[in-house]
Amino acid sequence: MKLPPGWTRYGTRDDKNFTEIIRHQGRNALRIVDRSSNETGISRDFPVQPGKFYQGTVQLTSLGKAGAEKVIRLQIRFLCKDGKATLAGGAVKLDGVTSFGGVAPANASGIRVYIYTSFNAEMDVALQSFKLEMLDEPPRTAGNPKNGYVPPVNK
């Protein structure tokens, strides 16, 4: 079980679920295999500047059968000094590029990013790329020119 530098394993740890670095479409990719009804994936912490917009972008390719119920999740969790967390993220398109983001709260002390399979979804995917960007303001999109991002959910 190899991971990219700085990343740690997240979720179920057994013989049915694993990650490995593979060659895919001429480049290195992280293969995430989930053959159970639990979550499996990777996570990593990053530094943060409160008040800035952070956008995470992933590119995934399905390596096996995938139906509508097959979902990978990208979660950006702003870690706060009071022990609470603010979340942004959601389901990621298979065989495409997906971005989610949010504004770091004033008391944010870091960001934890999770990329993982959802419950009850056997999957075999290649994570081709992940990028975390700090922006001064949310990006504009054609469908939502005002803010273009998933608003944070407080938990």
Side-chain angles (χ1 to χ4, degrees), residues 8-44:
T8 58
R9 178 91 186 257
Y10 167 75
T12 304
R13 300 175 197 281
D14 61 28
D15 293 338
K16 293 180 180 181
N17 304 299
F18 62 91
T19 57
E20 64 182 346
I21 296 173
I22 62 170
R23 290 294 285 174
H24 181 70
Q25 297 179 345
R27 303 180 345 182
N28 283 344
L30 180 69
R31 181 180 180 202
I32 301 173
V33 177
D34 182 351
R35 295 188 180 120
S36 72
S37 60
N38 298 305
E39 295 176 347
T40 192
I42 57 174
S43 68
R44 182 174 179 180

Side-chain angles (χ1 to χ4, degrees), residues 52-56 76 78 87-88 100-105 111 138 149-152:
K52 296 289 186 177
F53 182 89
Y54 288 84
Q55 178 173 278
I76 298 170
F78 295 103
L87 306 178
F100 291 107
V103 176
I111 294 175
Y149 70 98
V150 175

